Structure formats: structure tokens, C-alpha cells
RNA sequence: GGCGCGUUCGUCUAGUGGUCUAGGACGCCGCCCUCUCAAGGCGGAGAUCACGGGUUCGACCCCCGUACGCGCUACCA
């Protein structure tokens, strides 16, 4: 059995698109599952689209997601270099080989002639617009003259007419094209750089790529690649074209309708485990009911045969849910580390909370948060005294008799020695009984007094975490401040 | 326009000719739990399986057509 070698081959646009993440992930899962190699190759053959620092950003996003590659720009391998811009000589040499064999030819047409040709074809309502092979008729002498005169030129693929181009896609099955619909694609551009089509075929062959797993947008140009493999006399890799990721309106996932960069989701507080888990399920399912996965389980269960054919809408609601699920599964120690980072980046950075204290907060809030930052936004009262009191709750629960009742409660609390949850609870219940009122008459104002809010963990848990002195202090100032 | 690919609850999906009066998950609604909010448990609404023809004793599953959607149609990837 031939060894599995797959690659993720993005062009460095400045960030890692979530669709790109999904493609990278499937390549990674497939490689790991089959004891193969996962390679990162940068397709930077478009000089007009050069973006400073793009490769570094791409790599850092990929690594943040946990997708470690075996060979790449910064990981030594036997098949480098892994930046296409550093492989120009290879493309040139292979293009020349094709020219010598009559499978490709020099073209000296100007952009103006090409544009005019296209317009003419459109005006005549031809079924398709394609190059007219004008330069194919040039003789050797004419070509040599033009070449030595230094005039700009490209090299084009010489597509034969009336051929059937058939290939097998792992996900979609047999796919058939007519060569008459395939244009004489430019292989080497005027600036000497290769186009994607030439570069990806040459590299995939030289790098011994066994499976080309890429987005569906490449399906239509695969016949060009197949032709290239045939012309070179090379064995083709297996192809697998992945369904697209879509906006809620089912158009191709784009910036216009929300965040598309992995970095965006990272900044919003999503866990890499959740993002990876979510994106894995967009277009793939093991055939069972499992939805929660760690990457190791994905590796075990993944197979290309189970990848869907149709596009999947990127549904934030489900991502949110998965994030909460993954967050809740984290150990308290892991959460502590993450919470510390969150605090450092918040208005509470000036405070110094003991681990012991934060661990108790985590225990109390764990079931109530979907994001780490929510420890701060949903229970700010664990980090600072309430600055204000929720109006809806004070109007509902803070009656005219409340100040005196709650003050009595405070007095009871202050007599307790190292009170436990139960001690607080007993004290409150006893007072309620003595005052002949329901416990709710004390509990709700108490919650409001110590937290400023009406929601959160059980009040007694809050009291224990805050500690007696803090609690009595907060009750005191609440009595003064509310209303 | 041409070529290609696709089409099961709002969304992600299970389903490979009879087990489907179509299962799960997210979201939504209700109930339980309960000092609140979550979490959890239970239940509900939600898909004439895009449509129309075949094939078959029998079609979500096979074939053909139509519609719709998406992709490609560059010296961009």
C-alpha cells in the first residue's frame, strides 16, 4: 500500500479562513488516521496579492487549532522548499518539457487582444469564451525571434479537441468533462511565475502527494490538472472535493455576512476544541449520533467516504453550544489558567485573587457560562463589590420593610463563626420564621444586596465564597444605596 | 450563456430498496427540579425526503427529466 501524503495548500491572503480550516482539518485527520504525512505548502504565486506577514498569521492560526504538519515552510522535509515562490525553476523546467513535447506552447498575445477576443466571443453569443490557439500556428523561427526580442509571453496548455476527460472523485464518484470545454490555460504567466494549475500539479507530483483533498471550487479546473498529469506521464493522485461552507443565505461563506477568520473566533473567546469539533461536523458525520468530539476521536473515526456532497451553513448557535460543552468539560485547573488570562485583560487586572478563591468561583459558575469571559460578565460581583443594583429586581424585591429585615439578617450573620452554607441557610430560615415571613422575602433582597444582580449561583454559595465580612459589608452598603 | 456539482425538519445531519406513519443534535416552546439563573431530566412543535416521470410486488434510497441553489468560466488562488 502506498503511503498517504496529503497537503493543505492555501494562498497567503492574510488570515486562515474557517473554510480553509475545515479543508486543513480533513487533510490532517485523513493523514493521522492513515499514518500518513500532512504537509503545508504555501501557494504564493500571485505577486499582485502579496500580503506582508500573511504566512506567519496562517501558520499561527493553524498551530493554535492544533494542526501540526510534518513538512512545511518552517518544518524541514525531504520535498522542499514548501513555498511555491521558491520553486520557480522547477515550474519553468517542467513547462519547457511540455513545450518541447508539443503539449504546451508559447503565446505572445497581448492582454488587449485577449480582451478583444473575449468580447467578440461574447457578442457572438458563443457558448463559451476561450483562447483561439492563435499563437499555436507560429513557426519555430517566429517564436525564436519573438523570444529573443524579449517580448512578454506566457506558456499555454495545448488542449486537444474532442477528448473525454474522466476522473474519479472519492466524494462524488465519476466525473466527466469534454476537452472542448477546457480552455488553453496559461501555465507560466508573463512575469515568469506559474499559475496555480501548473504549480499544484508539479508540486503534488514532486512531493508525492497521494490524495488531493480540497474545496469544491476546484472541481471545475480538475480536468486541466488531469490533462497535465497525462501529458507528463505521471500517476494521478486520488481526488476528494469537499463541499463548501455557506452563509445563512446559502451563498459561499464570506466576510460580508460575519466572521470568517479563525483569528476572529479565537478573539471572541471560542475554544480551539470547540471550533475544530464544530467545523469537523460541517460536512462530515461518522454515521452515528455523536456530536461532541476531541480531535483524537475525530482522527479515529474520520473517513473521506463519509463526507457529504452538499454545502453546509455555518451555524453560530451550534458553535456556541459546543463551546459551552467543551468549556464545561475542562478541569478546574485548566479553567483557572484561562480565567487568570481573562482577568489580566480586564478591568479587574489590578486585583490579586488567590487561586483558592478563583477555584471556588469557577466551581460555582461552571454550569452557567459558555465562554471564559462570562465568568467576569455574568458574575462581576465575585471580582468587585456591586456598583449598582439591578432596577427590575429592586423594584420587585426591595420593599419598604426590607431594610430593617435585611439589617436583622446581617446582624444574625455577623454572630456566626466561620459559617458554612448550612449555617447561613439556618440563620436565614430562623429569622424568616421569627418574622413570620417567607424565606423569599429575605433571599431575594439578600441576593440583590451581595451581588447587585438577580441571577447566579445559589445565594448561600455566593455567601460562602464572598466570606462573612464581605457579606455583612455588602448588606450594609446596599441598605444605604438602594432607593 | 456554457460546463460541473448539489437538493431529508429553520440549521447541522442519520438513512446505501421493505426495520421510516423518516431518527439524533442545535435553536424554539412547555413541564419537572428550584431562592434566581444555568445545568440536568421529561415532553412538544417542526421534513407530503425540491418537483415530475419511470424501474420494482415495494422507493428518501436506482434511472431520466424539470426547477432551484452553488461553484467554475482570469497571465487569482
Amino acid at each position: 500500500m502506498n503511503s498517504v501524503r496529503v497537503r493543505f495548500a492555501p494562498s497567503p491572503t492574510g488570515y486562515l479562513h474557517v473554510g480553509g480550516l475545515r479543508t486543513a482539518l480533513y487533510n490532517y485527520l485523513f493523514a493521522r488516521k492513515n499514518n500518513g504525512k500532512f504537509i503545508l505548502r504555501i501557494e504564493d504565486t500571485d505577486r499582485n496579492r502579496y500580503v506582508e506577514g500573511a504566512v506567519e498569521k496562517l501558520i499561527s492560526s493553524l498551530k493554535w487549532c492544533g494542526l501540526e504538519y510534518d513538512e512545511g515552510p518552517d518544518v524541514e522535509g525531504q520535498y522542499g522548499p514548501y513555498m511555491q515562490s521558491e520553486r520557480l525553476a522547477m515550474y519553468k523546467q517542467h513547462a519547457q518539457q511540455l513545450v518541447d513535447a508539443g503539449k504546451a506552447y508559447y503565446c505572445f498575445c497581448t492582454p488587449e487582444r485577449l480582451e478583444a477576443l473575449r468580447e467578440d466571443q461574447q457578442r457572438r453569443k458563443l457558448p463559451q469564451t476561450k483562447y483561439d490557439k492563435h499563437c499555436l500556428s507560429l513557426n519555430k523561427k517566429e517564436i525564436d525571434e519573438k523570444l529573443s526580442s524579449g517580448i512578454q509571453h506566457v506558456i499555454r496548455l495545448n488542449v486537444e479537441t474532442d477528448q473525454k476527460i474522466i476522473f474519479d472523485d472519492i466524494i462524488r464518484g465519476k466525473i466527466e468533462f469534454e476537452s472542448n470545454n477546457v480552455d488553453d490555460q496559461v501555465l507560466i504567466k508573463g512575469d515568469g511565475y506559474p499559475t496555480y494549475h501548473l504549480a499544484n500539479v508539479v508540486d503534488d507530483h514532486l512531493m508525492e502527494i497521494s490524495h488531493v483533498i480540497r474545496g469544491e471550487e476546484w472541481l471545475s479546473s480538475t480536468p486541466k490538472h488531469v490533462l497535465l498529469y497525462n501529458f507528463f506521464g505521471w500517476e494521478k493522485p486520488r481526488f476528494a472535493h469537499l463541499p463548501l461552507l455557506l452563509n445563512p443565505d446559502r451563498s459561499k461563506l464570506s466576510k460580508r455576512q460575519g466572521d470568517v477568520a479563525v483569528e476572529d473566533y479565537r478573539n471572541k473567546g471560542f475554544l480551539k476544541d470547540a471550533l475544530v469539533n464544530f467545523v469537523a461536523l460541517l460536512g462530515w458525520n461518522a454515521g452515528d449520533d455523536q456530536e461532541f468530539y476531541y480531535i483524537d476521536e475525530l482522527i479515529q473515526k474520520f473517513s473521506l467516504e463519509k463526507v457529504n456532497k452538499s454545502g453546509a451553513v455555518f451555524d453560530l448557535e451550534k458553535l456556541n453550544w459546543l463551546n459551552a460543552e467543551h468549556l464545561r468539560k475542562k478541569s478546574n485547573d485548566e479553567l483557572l489558567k484561562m480565567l487568570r488570562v481573562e482577568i489580566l485583560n480586564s478591568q479587574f487586572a489590578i486585583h490579586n485573587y488567590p487561586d483558592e478563591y478563583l477555584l471556588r468561583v469557577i466551581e460555582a459558575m461552571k454550569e452557567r457560562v459558555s465562554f471564559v469571559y462570562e465568568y467576569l460578565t455574568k458574575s462581576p460581583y465575585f471580582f468587585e463589590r456591586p456598583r449598582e443594583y439591578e432596577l427590575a429586581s429592586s423594584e420587585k424585591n426591595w420593599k419598604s420593610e426590607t431594610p430593617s429585615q435585611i439589617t436583622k439578617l446581617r446582624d444574625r450573620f455577623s454572630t456566626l463563626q466561620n459559617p458554612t452554607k448550612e449555617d447561613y441557610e439556618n440563620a436565614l430560615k430562623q429569622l424568616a420564621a421569627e418574622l413570620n415571613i417567607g424565606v423569599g422575602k429575605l433571599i431575594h433582597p439578600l441576593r440583590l444586596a451581595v451581588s447587585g444582580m438577580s441571577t447566579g449561583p445559589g445565594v448561600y454559595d455566593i455567601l460562602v465564597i464572598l466570606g462573612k465580612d464581605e457579606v455583612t459589608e455588602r448588606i450594609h452598603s446596599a441598605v444605604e444605596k438602594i432607593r
Side-chain angles (χ1 to χ4, degrees):
Chain A
M1 182 184 142
N2 283 331
S3 60
V4 165
R5 288 176 56 82
V6 295
R7 84 298 195 277
F8 173 51
S11 65
T13 53
Y15 58 91
L16 177 58
H17 189 281
V18 287
L21 169 62
R22 208 267 312 259
T23 301
L25 178 64
Y26 285 9
N27 271 283
Y28 173 86
L29 296 176
F30 184 72
R32 293 288 172 267
K33 163 86 183 207
N34 297 289
N35 293 312
K37 298 289 187 210
F38 173 53
I39 294 137
L40 173 66
R41 184 175 72 220
I42 304 297
E43 310 242 331
D44 57 345
T45 55
D46 186 356
R47 292 189 305 173
N48 300 320
R49 286 224 242 163
Y50 178 77
V51 177
E52 188 76 43
V55 176
E56 289 71 18
K57 280 186 187 167
L58 197 75
I59 287 177
S60 87
S61 284
L62 221 43
K63 289 189 172 168
W64 178 71
C65 292
L67 304 187
E68 297 286 339
Y69 38 88
D70 305 297
E71 297 168 30
D74 57 340
V75 181
E76 198 68 29
Q78 301 299 304
Y79 301 82
Y82 296 92
M83 299 277 288
Q84 291 189 327
S85 57
E86 295 170 17
R87 301 169 65 84
L88 264 28
M90 299 184 214
Y91 307 128
K92 220 162 263 183
Q93 178 212 322
H94 282 91
Q96 188 55 241
Q97 186 183 323
L98 251 25
V99 171
D100 293 344
K103 303 299 188 187
Y105 58 95
Y106 288 102
C107 171
F108 304 92
C109 291
T110 61
E112 291 71 31
R113 187 182 112 78
L114 260 19
E115 181 55 32
L117 178 67
R118 207 175 346 249
E119 273 174 23
D120 177 59
Q121 289 173 339
Q122 277 166 357
R123 205 176 318 112
R124 283 157 54 201
K125 298 249 188 291
L126 258 36
Q128 71 230 254
T129 58
K130 47 189 275 198
Y131 184 60
D132 60 359
K133 287 182 184 284
H134 178 260
C135 290
L136 186 57
S137 58
L138 260 33
N139 63 39
K140 177 114 178 34
K141 190 166 166 254
E142 292 171 311
I143 294 170
D144 286 344
E145 274 175 16
K146 286 183 189 288
L147 246 28
S148 57
S149 78
I151 170 176
Q152 259 223 354
H153 61 275
V154 303
I155 294 177
R156 285 181 182 275
L157 182 65
N158 186 188
V159 179
E160 296 167 60
T161 55
D162 301 325
Q163 305 281 312
K164 278 213 187 310
I165 302 166
I166 301 166
F167 61 91
D168 192 65
D169 187 277
I170 296 174
I171 295 167
R172 291 152 209 284
K174 184 177 159 190
I175 295 173
E176 209 172 315
F177 286 85
E178 298 278 342
S179 71
N180 293 353
N181 292 319
V182 180
D183 202 359
D184 278 9
Q185 184 61 232
V186 168
L187 264 21
I188 298 283
K189 297 182 262 187
D191 62 7
Y193 277 65
T195 54
Y196 169 86
H197 309 285
L198 202 230
N200 112 86
V201 167
V202 168
D203 287 345
D204 285 344
H205 175 257
L206 260 26
M207 294 181 179
E208 294 180 37
I209 297 303
S210 61
H211 300 254
V212 169
I213 304 168
R214 76 225 307 188
E216 190 187 345
E217 68 266 31
W218 295 109
L219 195 56
S220 298
S221 42
T222 304
K224 291 168 186 170
H225 309 157
V226 170
L227 243 28
L228 247 12
Y229 281 105
N230 292 158
F231 287 168
F232 281 121
W234 294 338
E235 190 188 337
K236 292 190 290 289
R238 302 266 279 126
F239 292 104
H241 287 93
L242 272 23
L244 261 21
L245 256 38
L246 313 172
N247 289 311
D249 70 355
R250 306 205 73 86
S251 57
K252 188 174 167 182
L253 191 64
S254 70
K255 253 181 185 170
R256 293 283 311 166
Q257 299 190 37
D259 293 316
V260 294
V262 167
E263 200 64 16
D264 293 333
Y265 290 94
R266 181 184 180 176
N267 291 152
K268 281 184 160 184
F270 284 96
L271 262 21
K272 67 165 197 239
D273 314 64
L275 225 208
V276 166
N277 186 164
F278 175 63
V279 141
L281 258 18
L282 251 29
W284 172 83
N285 181 287
D288 56 26
D289 286 341
Q290 186 174 351
E291 307 247 30
F292 184 93
Y293 284 99
Y294 287 114
I295 199 161
D296 289 344
E297 299 174 278
L298 288 172
I299 291 171
Q300 280 182 22
K301 288 194 157 190
F302 187 78
S303 78
L304 286 173
E305 286 72 19
K306 283 289 195 179
V307 173
N308 293 148
K309 296 175 177 69
S310 52
V313 173
F314 194 91
D315 177 24
L316 271 176
E317 295 285 4
K318 196 148 188 175
L319 211 208
N320 286 334
W321 169 73
L322 268 175
N323 204 68
E325 289 289 301
H326 272 96
L327 197 60
R328 281 194 281 269
K329 286 261 174 33
K330 297 278 181 200
S331 72
N332 289 358
D333 284 340
E334 284 176 288
L335 290 172
L336 175 63
K337 278 184 206 145
M338 292 189 277
L339 179 55
R340 284 254 178 240
V341 172
E342 205 62 43
I343 290 171
L344 242 33
N345 293 317
S346 76
Q347 53 173 318
F348 306 124
I350 45 164
H351 296 104
N352 187 22
Y353 311 98
D355 282 356
E356 175 77 356
Y357 180 77
L358 293 181
L359 252 6
R360 280 201 296 259
V361 172
I362 286 167
E363 193 53 52
M365 291 300 292
K366 206 169 180 175
E367 298 297 319
R368 283 162 247 267
V369 298
S370 296
F371 295 88
V372 178
Y373 66 78
E374 286 181 342
Y375 279 99
L376 270 33
T377 58
K378 288 196 167 178
S379 56
Y381 46 85
F382 284 131
F383 305 92
E384 234 172 45
R385 288 181 178 166
R387 296 178 182 200
E388 49 198 29
Y389 301 86
E390 199 180 293
L391 195 61
S393 176
S394 64
E395 282 176 347
K396 183 165 180 252
N397 302 309
W398 201 270
K399 308 294 186 192
S400 57
E401 64 276 20
T402 301
S404 79
Q405 294 174 341
I406 208 83
T407 300
K408 286 195 182 82
L409 182 64
R410 170 176 165 253
D411 294 340
R412 294 295 171 90
F413 283 172
S414 59
T415 65
L416 300 172
Q417 297 295 316
N418 292 322
T420 62
K421 243 173 94 166
E422 290 70 27
D423 294 335
Y424 282 120
E425 187 168 355
N426 290 334
L428 186 141
K429 279 183 174 166
Q430 204 180 348
L431 179 63
E434 287 172 23
L435 294 174
N436 201 21
I437 55 176
V439 288
K441 288 274 186 242
L442 291 175
I443 285 181
H444 296 297
L446 173 61
R447 174 184 291 285
L448 184 65
V450 298
S451 75
M453 305 178 90
S454 61
T455 63
V459 236
Y460 306 117
D461 289 310
I462 297 179
L463 299 182
V464 170
I465 292 170
L466 254 23
K468 192 181 85 178
D469 294 346
E470 185 65 23
V471 167
T472 52
E473 179 55 45
R474 287 189 184 193
I475 292 174
H476 178 72
S477 63
V479 169
E480 292 191 332
K481 287 180 187 163
I482 298 177
R483 243 177 251 160

